[in-house]
Amino acid sequence: KVQQEAQEWWLKQLEVFAQRWPQSTDASDAIVQLAISLELTGRTDDARRWYGQLVKDHARTNAGIRARGALRRLDLTGKPLQLAGRSLEGKPIDANQFRGKVTLVVFWATWAKPYTDDLPKLIAAHTKYQRSGFEILGVNLDADASGIQPYLLKNGGKWPHIRVPGGTDGQLAKDFGIVTVPTMFVIDKTGRVAGGVTADNLEQ
């Protein structure tokens, strides 16, 4: 309860600051923190509103660029997914090559403990449903690639991965407005985004 009250107080302070000083030097940082917090607590409509304000008033800032990506990500359901890059081995890889399969796209990083905690559930689903046409496409957001292969050897998850140069500051991370790791969504057999998902409701 104390933690929840502290979170609500912090959100209120960010909102008051953003409303009173929307054009100040620190406004974009305050607004993006507010929008991210609202999204993570399930208040998606409120998050959209603040992301939209960032795009309108602070388009050229890092926060504004990430907000544009977040709005795009939140509006992906029902649309074809455009996602391509280089694999961990440096070869071209495109989400379109998984057409005809149900595909889970996972933005992840070795330093993200929630992803490590989720990994056994992802591996279990992959093992259970791969023969039925289920695949996983990882999108790695490590700034330093040296620890990726040791991590995969230790923890598993050796499905195809797109490597994002620059990690969370890389172009793909900005294009999709990634604000938390892991971020997951499901692609249907036609290549369209079916919706967001977590490891806990993936089986369903």
Side-chain angles (χ1 to χ4, degrees):
K1 184 178 179 181
V2 173
Q3 184 176 4
Q4 181 180 352
E5 290 177 351
Q7 175 73 5
E8 291 174 355
W9 177 87
W10 175 240
L11 288 176
K12 186 63 178 177
Q13 301 312 303
L14 288 173
E15 189 167 7
V16 168
F17 181 89
Q19 289 172 338
R20 289 185 179 179
W21 297 284
Q23 302 297 332
S24 69
T25 304
D26 297 324
S28 62
D29 290 336
I31 294 171
V32 77
Q33 288 183 52
L34 175 60
I36 290 170
S37 297
L38 290 169
E39 182 183 347
L40 294 180
T41 54
R43 294 171 58 183
T44 307
D45 289 341
D46 291 330
R48 286 177 187 271
R49 178 166 57 86
W50 286 110
Y51 283 137
Q53 181 168 329
L54 278 170
V55 173
K56 178 176 176 288
D57 296 336
H58 305 277
R60 296 184 179 182
T61 65
N62 286 332
I65 293 169
R66 198 170 293 275
R68 184 180 296 106
L71 287 173
R72 174 176 175 246
R73 171 174 48 77
L74 291 172
D75 197 35
L76 277 176
T77 300
K79 296 180 179 178
L81 180 69
Q82 303 297 324
L83 176 63
R86 295 278 177 177
S87 71
L88 298 179
E89 296 76 29
K91 298 179 180 179
I93 185 170
D94 192 313
N96 286 325
Q97 71 191 63
F98 299 97
R99 287 284 182 94
K101 297 182 178 181
V102 173
T103 305
L104 176 70
V105 174
V106 185
F107 287 81
W108 70 282
T110 60
W111 44 261
K113 186 177 183 297
Y115 175 74
T116 302
D117 293 341
D118 285 347
L119 197 48
K121 296 176 183 177
L122 302 186
I123 293 171
H126 191 242
T127 301
K128 184 175 181 180
Y129 295 110
Q130 187 178 24
R131 289 185 179 180
S132 302
F134 174 66
E135 192 52 83
I136 298 178
L137 174 60
V139 184
N140 176 261
L141 299 178
D142 277 273
D144 181 359
S146 62
I148 297 174
Q149 291 299 341
Y151 178 91
L152 294 176
L153 286 172
K154 178 181 178 181
N155 297 285
K158 295 183 179 181
W159 37 74
H161 297 277
I162 291 174
R163 167 91 180 113
V164 180
T168 55
D169 290 323
Q171 192 60 50
L172 275 180
K174 292 179 179 178
D175 287 347
F176 286 89
I178 301 302
V179 298
T180 184
V181 181
T183 292
M184 312 182 196
F185 40 85
V186 173
I187 314 304
D188 66 19
K189 293 182 179 181
T190 71
R192 295 180 180 274
V193 177
V197 71
T198 67
D200 291 333
N201 61 18
L202 176 60
E203 179 79 18
Q204 180 182 347

